[in-house]
Amino acid sequence: MASPPSSSTLSPPVVPMDLHVSNRRKLLDSLRHHFADSSRPSHGFVLLQGGEEQTRYCTDHIELFRQESYFTYLFGVREPGFYGAIDISTGKSILFAPRLPADYAVWLGEIKPLSYFQESYMVDLVYYVDELKETLENLFEEKEKKPLLFLLHGLNTDSNNYSKPAKFEGMENFEIDLTTLHPILTECRVLKSEQELAIIQYANDVSSEAHIQVMRNAKVGMKEYQLESIFLHHIYMYGGCRHCSYTCICATGHNSSVLHYGHAAAPNDKTLEDGDMALMDMGAEYSFYGSDITCSFPINGKFMKDQTIIYNAVLQAHNNVISSMRPGVSWVNTHKLAEKTILEALNKEGIVQGNVEEMMAERVGAVFMPHGLGHLLGIDTHDPGGYAEGLGRPTEPGLRSLRTVRELQKGMVITVEPGCYFIEALLKPASENPATAKFFNHEKLEKFKKFGGVRIESDVCVTADGCRNMTNCPRETWEIEAVMAGAPWPLKQ
């Protein structure tokens, strides 16, 4: 059966700017509540600095700009060089635009008036950046005091980098608070509004379509980067997605055991071989909000016995986790559920041997799934807030890789991405460790030495009484085989 032509029934939606107005209102309510609880006056300004364009090293080649994420959340501004402020006492929002040189109009296009930004971004006031100091001083109500600025400064627990607070000339004339804003604004980003969920759903819909096109067009003899190219073409051509959420991971054969394959030193360049499994981890970004989807499938379109065993173990873990998700459920426990499901499947096939509970106690699950089960998703692929204040990171193998240890809440979007990999750098020491060596069937493990790995990843929204899977890709082995043979998706009964 011939593959259907690449097309889409989707149309890029217009994203309402009042999404960001609602985000500002959410922050303002949270700050005022915090001040009331701590008996502090509700005055001062939230001030964020947007991103700046970057050139490639010393050249004049300008890299494609993407706005800083916290600034995006509050203001939705696409252009570089802006500042944004919120007057806590009045609730007014203020943008400060860069004053552009006259020749900008020759090289880069129309110089927009300030009224354009006020209308487009639905803010109350707009000034130029060089008017920032004077404007905030004039707007501050308590003239006898230094104006108070709440700046963004805090740790990103995924990257271990700190957000950079705004800087401008004349800051010495202001009182600076570097501790209040970051945890409160981060917590605002954890629970998504219906408008945010709609954009994330669209990014998932486009990405799901693109993954299906990759499945349908994968052939022995192609290069991994050609699969990446199919995905990138589809999300931009049909979805209007200029950005990806992250660097595409297009791993086949043994490369699929490299968790973050696809970087500059491993650039998706292996030739696809008959009998290889493919692990495609790719997600589109639309209007700043992302998706993160992984599909695993056999390059030749037919699952072999060993491939079916490992794939179904991971799929069962994926499905068990999603079935268990609802508000109040511990994410640490869902990770352990995924580990246990995979170990039980491997035990059934004799790849590991012994008591699964004892394996769990010795953290054998982390040998096959060394990464965390998933992460919060939104404006960033690894959205912040996974470790709220007071939450400590586990220290055990596997669990220490968790990007969150929170209990699930309605409005969270979180990835569910169990995997099973055969990584020599983990299997060898575990096989030599007296505490864990007894659990491994070395003869059977030898068969999987060059297998690579399988990962299945969906983006899931937590609802009031359960959850909703936002990803729509073939998951069962027979569904994948049918789609790769040219059947339409969703499959007809």
Side-chain angles (χ1 to χ4, degrees):
M1 187 186 298
S3 296
S6 179
S7 62
S8 176
T9 59
L10 300 171
S11 179
V14 175
V15 176
M17 195 51 59
D18 64 356
L19 180 156
H20 301 286
V21 175
S22 298
N23 289 347
R24 292 197 293 271
R25 190 179 303 119
K26 184 178 182 181
L27 172 63
L28 202 54
D29 290 344
S30 297
L31 281 170
R32 288 171 174 171
H33 190 270
H34 170 78
F35 293 144
D37 286 348
S38 54
S39 300
R40 295 171 63 185
S42 292
H43 65 74
F45 300 93
V46 168
L47 180 66
L48 271 71
Q49 182 174 357
E52 298 286 349
E53 275 188 329
Q54 302 293 324
T55 59
R56 182 182 291 174
Y57 305 113
C58 64
T59 75
D60 63 353
H61 171 87
I62 297 175
E63 303 286 1
L64 180 60
F65 176 72
R66 198 276 196 181
Q67 188 60 266
E68 194 278 329
S69 295
Y70 283 98
F71 193 79
T72 293
Y73 179 79
L74 291 178
F75 296 101
V77 172
R78 296 182 297 273
E79 299 90 343
F82 277 69
Y83 289 73
I86 302 171
D87 187 332
I88 295 171
S89 61
T90 67
K92 287 184 176 180
S93 53
I94 313 159
L95 278 179
F96 297 92
R99 198 184 291 271
L100 301 173
D103 65 351
Y104 183 98
V106 177
W107 296 96
L108 295 169
E110 178 188 359
I111 297 177
K112 305 285 198 313
L114 295 183
S115 59
Y116 168 85
F117 300 115
Q118 184 174 9
E119 181 179 345
S120 297
Y121 295 122
M122 296 179 66
V123 294
D124 297 296
L125 301 167
V126 182
Y127 300 90
Y128 287 112
V129 168
D130 55 27
E131 299 171 312
L132 190 155
K133 172 182 173 292
E134 180 184 1
T135 300
L136 295 185
E137 285 177 332
N138 290 338
L139 289 173
F140 191 64
E141 294 175 343
E142 300 184 41
K143 302 301 182 184
E144 71 281 2
K145 297 180 180 179
K146 280 187 175 183
L148 175 60
L149 298 183
F150 295 93
L151 305 185
L152 188 71
H153 181 65
L155 178 69
N156 182 306
T157 57
D158 290 299
S159 66
N160 283 324
N161 295 325
Y162 282 84
S163 53
K164 296 180 180 178
K167 291 184 178 179
F168 62 94
E169 288 188 17
M171 285 185 68
E172 64 277 5
N173 294 342
F174 294 81
E175 182 183 347
I176 304 299
D177 182 314
L178 290 173
T179 60
T180 300
L181 179 60
H182 186 271
I184 293 174
L185 181 52
T186 296
E187 197 64 21
C188 287
R189 289 178 58 182
V190 171
L191 305 183
K192 273 59 179 180
S193 67
E194 290 301 321
Q195 288 176 312
E196 291 178 293
L197 291 174
I199 307 174
I200 297 171
Q201 183 61 68
Y202 176 76
N204 262 268
D205 292 342
V206 172
S207 298
S208 296
E209 279 191 349
H211 272 282
I212 290 166
Q213 288 304 319
V214 171
M215 284 184 192
R216 285 178 172 151
N217 289 281
K219 299 289 185 292
V220 172
M222 292 175 69
K223 290 287 190 179
E224 291 167 337
Y225 58 72
Q226 291 178 286
L227 304 185
E228 178 181 10
S229 174
I230 293 167
F231 182 88
L232 296 176
H233 170 74
H234 189 94
I235 64 171
Y236 202 1
M237 178 75 176
Y238 298 104
C241 300
R242 194 176 193 186
H243 291 274
C244 265
S245 299
Y246 50 93
T247 303
C248 292
I249 299 170
C250 298
T252 62
H254 62 274
N255 290 339
S256 56
S257 66
V258 181
L259 301 183
H260 283 169
Y261 181 74
H263 55 85
N268 296 333
D269 61 355
K270 179 181 179 295
T271 301
L272 279 55
E273 298 179 25
D274 193 17
D276 278 354
M277 280 292 288
L279 187 159
M280 302 284 112
D281 188 339
M282 301 179 284
E285 177 184 300
Y286 184 77
S287 193
F288 303 115
Y289 285 83
S291 58
D292 188 354
I293 298 172
T294 306
C295 295
S296 295
F297 56 88
I299 288 298
N300 62 17
K302 293 289 183 182
F303 281 90
M304 296 185 293
K305 182 182 177 183
D306 287 346
Q307 292 172 340
T308 301
I309 289 169
I310 304 305
Y311 184 90
N312 281 339
V314 176
L315 180 62
Q316 190 62 55
H318 169 273
N319 294 346
N320 286 354
V321 166
I322 292 177
S323 295
S324 75
M325 289 174 62
R326 59 187 53 83
V329 169
S330 160
W331 193 242
V332 176
N333 289 343
T334 61
H335 178 96
K336 291 178 179 178
L337 172 61
E339 282 186 334
K340 186 176 181 181
T341 302
I342 291 168
L343 286 174
E344 286 173 342
L346 298 180
N347 199 38
K348 182 180 178 182
E349 297 297 330
I351 298 168
V352 295
Q353 55 199 9
N355 184 284
V356 171
E357 294 297 339
E358 291 179 14
M359 294 182 206
M360 291 288 292
E362 294 293 342
R363 304 299 307 135
V364 174
V367 176
F368 296 99
M369 190 175 85
H371 58 72
L373 176 63
H375 50 82
L376 298 173
L377 175 73
I379 290 176
D380 290 310
T381 309
H382 298 155
D383 229 24
Y387 285 87
E389 289 183 332
L391 293 179
R393 186 179 290 273
T395 57
E396 304 98 314
L399 299 179
R400 61 175 170 245
S401 297
L402 281 166
R403 297 187 184 273
T404 184
V405 292
R406 298 177 70 133
E407 290 187 354
L408 299 179
Q409 294 175 259
K410 179 188 175 185
M412 284 181 172
V413 177
I414 194 162
T415 64
V416 175
E417 49 180 303
C420 181
Y421 316 88
F422 295 87
I423 303 170
E424 184 64 16
L426 296 177
L427 286 167
K428 189 172 187 295
S431 297
E432 294 171 352
N433 182 345
T436 54
K438 62 183 179 181
F439 297 120
F440 298 99
N441 183 331
H442 301 287
E443 184 179 339
K444 286 216 170 182
L445 272 175
E446 191 66 27
K447 290 173 55 181
F448 290 91
K449 201 168 186 179
K450 296 184 179 180
F451 181 91
V454 167
R455 181 161 66 249
I456 301 171
E457 180 179 15
S458 297
D459 302 339
V460 180
C461 171
V462 182
T463 61
D465 56 359
C467 66
R468 174 169 58 89
N469 190 344
M470 307 175 86
T471 303
N472 183 21
C473 292
R475 292 308 195 192
E476 299 290 343
T477 55
W478 56 272
E479 291 175 333
I480 292 169
E481 289 180 349
V483 166
M484 292 185 73
W489 180 258
L491 298 178
K492 296 177 182 178
Q493 291 293 334

